[in-house]
Amino acid sequence: MRVILWVSSFILFLAGVEFGVRFDDWSRYGVSFLARETAIDNLVVRDSLGMHARPNSQYRGYSIDSLGFRGPNRSRDEMERALLIIATGASETFGLYETPGKEWPRQLEDSLASQCPVTPVLVLNAALAGMTLPTVTQDIDLRLSKLNPDIVLYYPSPVQYLDSRVPQAAAPFLGIPVQESRFDQELRVLPRLRDALKRLLPERALDLGRSLILANARKHDSHQFSVADTEDRLAMYERDLRQLIGTARAVGSEPVIVLSQNRFFTRDMSGSDLRWLLAWERFYPAASGELLLTFEDQASARTQLVGQDSGVLVVDPNLRSSGHLPEELFADFVHFTDLGSAVFAGAVGRGIHADHAHYCQSD
Amino acid sequence: MLFNSLEFIFLFLPIAYVVFWSLRTSSARYIWLTIAGYVFYGWWDPRFVLLMFFSTLVAYVAGLGMLRNPPGSPHRKVYMVVPIVVDLTLLGFFKYTNFLLDTIRAVIGYTGHPIEVPHLNIILPIGISFYTFHTISYIVDSYRGTITPTRNFFEFSTYVSLFSQLVAGPIVRFRQIEKDLEAIGSSSRTRWLGRGVSFFCIGLAEKVLIADTLAVIVDPSFQHWQELSSSGAWFAVIAYTFQLLFDFSGYSTMAVGLGYLFALRIPQNFNSPYKALNPSDFWERWHISLSSCLRDYLYIPLGGNRSGTAKTYRNLMITMLIGGLWHGASWTFVFWGFYHGLLLMIYRVFKSQWDALPKKAQQGGMFLLVLVGWVFFRAESFQAAAGILHRMFIPTDGSFFSDTNLSLALITMAFASWWSMIGPNPFEVSHEWRGRRQMFWSLVLGICLAMIIVQRPSPFLYFQF
């Protein structure tokens, strides 16, 4: 009897932990108790339109609208009346660390609205964490084109081209989608517990962990890029960027490219910057931290070249001239803070406004 | 380290508990609890460990001095006065230096001849008000002969550095815990285990589920008080009234639970203070350990109520002003003490009329009076306090501030008001750890842990004092 009591208590304790996490999701973000998403990856779906955000899904503060864009629902009518901009890219655009509603595409909308109150502007966020350039191009072709956006605004993550596998489009899924039951649930507490335990660890322990993971990854994949052998990857990036520009134009939209930014713009590698560079390297074990920075610079130069060639607006947000410290703008190596998003959106907004001033004219 | 943190619950507490009960002798257990207390305290800032050690050493030596100088001997008073002066000097330096300098600067500013008065960069050691009170009460009680000072340094250092009540009370007097400390080597692990876990769970629920939920309303509201509507101001102040109780009461209840886990009985610190019927009753229920210390070490030595009405009022006011100042180095705290001193005096004048009111009216009236006082306690300046009170009593347009959903805030406030004004307090419920109670509190503990996992643990409000 005593054993049954203790086992029941333990089960109730675990149930309490899971209930508590779901209660917190509900009270803070309005997430349903029965929502299935337990990680940001669950917000992705692959269907006949390729890979994109799953409509009406939500994980914590990351909520996806009925059309598969991050943010609140917008009506077709609103879209038709407004200058429609679709911002796309990877996690930097999707927004990982910003307060919900402060991702740069949302702040860009505010920025453009304040610069031009006479013309309604809508900025939809089509980005997804880990979305590659070819996948974005496919998304423009298969899905975004249906909305007839006036501008497709792309924020690249060139270092994806330093992955050991060349970035490719996630092929559309043409089979019959599996019906998912609401009661097919996973524990939501596990990823939270992992985050909480990570917070407990001192920075040095985290650095050690990252170094070990990196060393292990490099041991299993011995290929290491050097500055000399990245030319073919740069060429692939350039090719894919030109493809994106062509696709956007083919569907009747004006492409705009923004130069990628990272927290290392001062190049003054203090202790925390070195720590973040190591964290960044962990995602691209085939490249050293120094190469990541060099490649970003080279890719930016290539992006500007492509822009000149093809007559596409390339906006340089130039965060180093904002007067803010890297740690104020970036929550990690490339992802923005609320302030970083605001500064970035302001710079992009000014760039678009200067080049597309014609949109801001009352009829 | 916070009681409501993962490192405390899953690392510090299990290690402290297992090692403590694996040791067999009193001395070993004293030493272990002292080490645990210093690790717990040093987690915030290791530098201040030395300060606590110095304060402990001074009081311990004073106790030895009292043992060598029995009552009536000429040097006995020196062993009381010198260590108290040392303790109060440390407290005064760390807690009140900048308050004094700021006040001097303000006063000189009024004369029209401002001079440069510096603001020193002094960090307030956490819990200094509490452990200073512990050592002073030990010295005074030793002097009075209420207790026999201990010769065992580690027994005394266990008392001062006991992690369960080190940084935010209750202010446990040596005589309240002396017997348990002396029997620590032969105490039973299982005797108080159930009670300990039960008290800890209740305290954790008070803090995590109620106080922290209400904090989400309170903090932005008091920060942006200029933008509050009348209803928003009432909402914020009522929320703070419950947040403060459940935050501090939660800490004290956890402290009691932790005490039981180490076979030490820590006294009750809150006895449903919002059930109080009058100001006098309130101070017998709110922060009981502080109010009883102020009574025994300040009010009574000043003469108490034995020297006529005027002196009684004077003594009451001095006691409450110092009580206010103890809470924080700010004139708003002093005014809060003055306000409660005034309430106590007015109650003495109109006692018969007030007591003739229906009980519910007395309780409601007292709650309202306490609530007004909390505005001064929480506001960062007199301007803010006056602004909030203005909004509460003069209809004003503005907004509500709440980062949490409103229905959850309302449900929490309704539950908090029931629990604090009608329901039983943690000392009035059964703590038997079996059957349905065990299952219920296991579930609550799980929910509390989930809240700690998903939200970073928030510090206890009383840590600042």
Side-chain angles (χ1 to χ4, degrees):
Chain A
M1 197 64 191
R2 226 175 136 71
V3 173
I4 293 171
L5 179 64
W6 278 101
V7 170
S8 311
S9 298
F10 186 66
I11 291 169
L12 277 168
F13 167 76
L14 294 179
V17 176
E18 180 64 18
F19 173 83
V21 172
R22 287 172 186 253
F23 180 83
D24 180 68
D25 279 347
W26 168 76
S27 68
R28 274 208 281 183
Y29 308 114
V31 178
S32 154
F33 271 77
L34 291 177
R36 297 183 67 254
E37 292 77 16
T38 57
I40 207 161
D41 296 346
N42 299 143
L43 299 177
V44 181
V45 68
R46 271 173 87 167
D47 56 18
S48 58
L49 298 176
M51 190 178 91
H52 56 90
R54 183 192 299 273
N56 299 314
S57 60
Q58 185 173 1
Y59 170 66
R60 304 191 69 186
Y62 312 108
S63 59
I64 307 299
D65 73 3
S66 58
L67 295 173
F69 297 102
R70 184 170 181 195
N73 280 322
R74 312 295 184 103
S75 68
R76 290 276 183 174
D77 190 39
E78 263 184 291
M79 290 182 205
E80 277 162 19
R81 279 190 287 111
L83 175 86
L84 182 62
I85 299 175
I86 298 186
T88 186
S91 52
E92 302 91 326
T93 302
F94 181 78
L96 287 189
Y97 299 104
E98 299 94 325
T99 311
K102 301 278 186 192
E103 315 84 69
W104 73 257
R106 294 286 295 284
Q107 301 210 53
L108 173 65
E109 187 175 295
D110 298 339
S111 171
L112 290 172
S114 69
Q115 288 176 48
C116 181
V118 292
T119 308
V121 179
L122 266 186
V123 181
L124 301 181
N125 185 346
L128 265 184
M131 207 168 188
T132 61
L133 174 47
T135 305
V136 171
T137 304
Q138 177 184 267
D139 196 35
I140 294 168
D141 186 28
L142 298 180
R143 190 173 72 108
L144 307 185
S145 57
K146 294 183 168 51
L147 299 174
N148 303 316
D150 298 294
I151 295 174
V152 170
L153 182 56
Y154 177 60
Y155 182 50
S157 307
V159 290
Q160 287 177 338
Y161 284 81
L162 290 180
D163 201 292
S164 51
R165 284 172 302 175
V166 176
Q168 289 184 335
F173 177 72
L174 299 172
I176 300 164
V178 179
Q179 286 298 316
E180 289 156 341
S181 161
R182 299 172 73 197
F183 298 99
D184 182 15
Q185 297 280 328
E186 283 179 34
L187 289 176
R188 274 194 223 171
V189 70
L190 294 179
R192 303 294 188 83
L193 190 60
R194 191 197 58 211
D195 290 347
L197 293 175
K198 224 167 122 180
R199 286 201 303 264
L200 281 182
L201 291 174
E203 288 289 350
R204 285 187 182 180
L206 288 173
D207 285 348
L208 181 67
R210 286 174 187 137
S211 301
L212 290 173
I213 291 169
L214 193 58
N216 191 43
R218 284 175 176 163
K219 202 169 80 183
H220 285 95
D221 185 358
S222 57
H223 177 72
Q224 275 283 298
F225 286 106
S226 67
V227 179
D229 67 359
T230 53
E231 180 47 44
D232 62 328
R233 292 301 180 111
L234 272 173
M236 285 176 197
Y237 168 70
E238 185 185 328
R239 179 199 65 200
D240 291 345
L241 195 61
R242 288 184 190 280
Q243 177 99 38
L244 177 137
I245 291 167
T247 305
R249 283 182 170 154
V251 301
S253 301
E254 181 61 37
V256 175
I257 316 291
V258 187
L259 292 185
S260 65
Q261 307 290 306
N262 58 57
R263 78 174 284 135
F264 311 100
F265 55 75
T266 62
R267 292 291 192 273
D268 173 24
M269 292 293 176
S270 64
S272 67
D273 280 340
L274 286 172
R275 185 166 286 141
W276 283 122
L277 194 58
L278 176 66
W280 199 15
E281 269 183 70
R282 195 166 69 77
F283 288 89
Y284 303 101
S288 66
E290 197 187 338
L291 181 60
L292 288 173
L293 296 175
T294 308
F295 192 82
E296 280 256 305
D297 291 342
Q298 291 173 333
S300 287
R302 206 59 77 95
T303 305
Q304 280 176 318
L305 189 73
V306 171
Q308 280 168 12
D309 283 356
S310 47
V312 165
L313 172 64
V314 175
V315 180
D316 182 3
N318 193 9
L319 294 183
R320 83 179 72 86
S321 66
S322 69
H324 292 284
L325 296 169
E327 55 268 34
E328 293 174 326
L329 301 174
F330 290 93
D332 63 10
F333 32 92
V334 289
H335 299 102
F336 297 116
T337 58
D338 284 355
L339 176 67
S341 271
V343 173
F344 181 87
V348 174
R350 283 191 295 278
I352 292 177
H353 187 71
D355 199 70
H356 291 65
H358 56 84
Y359 85 87
C360 185
Q361 287 164 0
S362 54
D363 293 331
Chain B
M1 203 183 308
L2 300 165
F3 289 170
N4 55 328
S5 65
L6 292 177
E7 59 266 37
F8 179 82
I9 295 171
F10 289 116
L11 192 69
F12 179 86
L13 185 57
I15 293 173
Y17 183 83
V18 169
V19 174
F20 176 84
W21 288 108
S22 65
L23 299 169
R24 293 285 163 222
T25 64
S26 295
S27 296
R29 287 180 176 179
Y30 291 147
I31 292 170
W32 175 245
L33 281 182
T34 301
I35 293 169
Y38 277 82
V39 169
F40 178 82
Y41 191 63
W43 202 268
W44 275 285
D45 192 333
R47 288 172 297 174
F48 295 127
V49 162
L50 290 174
L51 194 66
M52 186 169 73
F53 177 75
F54 177 70
S55 192
T56 306
L57 195 64
V58 168
Y60 173 71
V61 171
L64 293 182
M66 307 268 187
L67 284 174
R68 282 191 202 141
N69 294 273
S73 65
H75 300 303
R76 191 173 169 84
K77 205 163 194 170
V78 175
Y79 285 103
M80 178 184 73
V81 174
V82 173
I84 289 179
V85 168
V86 170
D87 274 344
L88 290 180
T89 304
L90 286 175
L91 180 66
F93 174 76
F94 283 103
K95 191 164 176 177
Y96 298 107
T97 303
N98 278 324
F99 170 62
L100 189 68
L101 293 174
D102 293 346
T103 305
I104 291 170
R105 191 184 305 112
V107 169
I108 291 173
Y110 282 123
T111 64
H113 303 285
I115 58 165
E116 193 67 28
V117 179
H119 185 93
L120 303 181
N121 186 21
I122 299 171
I123 303 169
L124 177 66
I126 201 161
I128 189 170
S129 307
F130 285 91
Y131 70 72
T132 301
F133 237 127
H134 284 129
T135 52
I136 289 178
S137 71
Y138 175 80
I139 295 163
V140 174
D141 284 354
S142 300
Y143 176 77
R144 287 175 177 170
T146 317
I147 57 165
T148 305
T150 177
R151 289 179 190 280
N152 187 328
F153 176 75
F154 286 107
E155 181 185 7
F156 181 64
S157 62
T158 299
Y159 159 67
V160 178
S161 65
L162 192 60
F163 65 84
S164 59
Q165 36 90 28
L166 174 60
V167 291
I171 301 165
V172 182
R173 285 187 249 180
F174 190 71
R175 65 171 178 242
Q176 292 173 309
I177 206 172
E178 190 179 6
K179 279 187 184 165
D180 288 345
L181 278 174
E182 278 166 12
I184 206 165
S186 56
S187 46
S188 157
R189 186 181 67 81
T190 51
R191 186 176 174 201
W192 304 112
L193 179 61
R195 280 182 83 76
V197 175
S198 173
F199 267 106
F200 188 79
C201 288
I202 295 173
L204 194 63
E206 286 183 78
K207 165 68 180 162
V208 175
L209 300 184
I210 299 179
D212 286 352
T213 305
L214 296 177
V216 181
I217 304 163
V218 172
D219 295 343
S221 300
F222 274 82
Q223 200 181 347
H224 305 285
W225 61 269
Q226 297 96 329
E227 296 162 46
L228 286 175
S229 63
S230 290
S231 53
W234 275 102
F235 193 62
V237 175
I238 293 172
Y240 179 65
T241 300
F242 292 121
Q243 184 207 358
L244 183 64
L245 170 67
F246 284 101
D247 193 281
F248 192 18
S249 164
Y251 185 90
S252 297
T253 308
M254 278 190 263
V256 171
L258 291 169
Y260 276 124
L261 291 181
F262 295 88
L264 298 167
R265 282 166 294 176
I266 291 172
Q268 183 176 9
N269 208 22
F270 288 87
N271 182 16
S272 309
Y274 296 154
K275 288 180 187 168
L277 301 179
N278 55 60
S280 183
D281 189 19
F282 176 77
W283 283 103
E284 284 168 16
R285 292 166 174 271
W286 178 273
H287 203 345
I288 298 166
S289 62
L290 174 70
S291 45
S292 64
C293 277
L294 289 173
R295 182 193 63 213
D296 294 347
Y297 301 113
L298 191 61
Y299 179 68
I300 291 174
L302 283 169
N305 56 4
R306 289 164 299 173
S307 314
T309 311
K311 285 193 174 170
T312 301
Y313 290 161
R314 181 203 66 182
N315 297 340
L316 263 179
M317 190 51 85
I318 291 172
T319 306
M320 295 313 293
L321 286 173
I322 291 178
L325 191 60
W326 177 86
H327 278 88
S330 159
W331 285 106
T332 51
F333 286 113
V334 178
F335 185 84
W336 172 77
F338 169 79
Y339 172 78
H340 272 277
L342 206 61
L343 290 183
L344 287 164
M345 285 161 58
I346 293 169
Y347 173 65
R348 279 180 169 259
V349 175
F350 296 103
K351 185 174 188 307
S352 53
Q353 290 91 331
W354 180 271
D355 290 352
L357 292 170
K359 290 269 188 284
K360 289 286 172 203
Q362 289 182 48
Q363 188 187 351
M366 191 57 220
F367 180 76
L368 197 63
L369 290 169
V370 168
L371 184 142
V372 169
W374 291 141
V375 175
F376 292 96
F377 197 85
R378 176 63 175 80
E380 282 171 12
S381 64
F382 282 113
Q383 191 198 4
I388 292 165
L389 286 170
H390 176 87
R391 280 164 172 73
M392 285 167 71
F393 293 103
I394 310 286
T396 312
D397 288 337
S399 56
F400 257 73
F401 282 101
S402 175
D403 287 346
T404 189
N405 69 40
L406 199 59
S407 56
L408 176 64
L410 287 171
I411 291 167
T412 308
M413 275 168 73
F415 182 70
S417 58
W418 170 81
W419 197 0
S420 61
M421 300 176 82
I422 299 165
N425 67 53
F427 282 80
E428 293 170 339
V429 298
S430 166
H431 292 283
E432 287 198 38
W433 191 253
R434 61 184 176 205
R436 274 183 289 183
R437 281 192 59 78
Q438 177 179 333
M439 288 165 57
F440 173 75
W441 284 110
S442 299
L443 181 69
V444 173
L445 183 64
I447 295 172
C448 291
L449 276 178
M451 294 299 158
I452 294 169
I453 289 168
V454 296
Q455 302 164 3
R456 286 163 195 258
S458 66
F460 290 87
L461 296 179
Y462 254 67
F463 279 13
Q464 62 186 298
F465 309 129

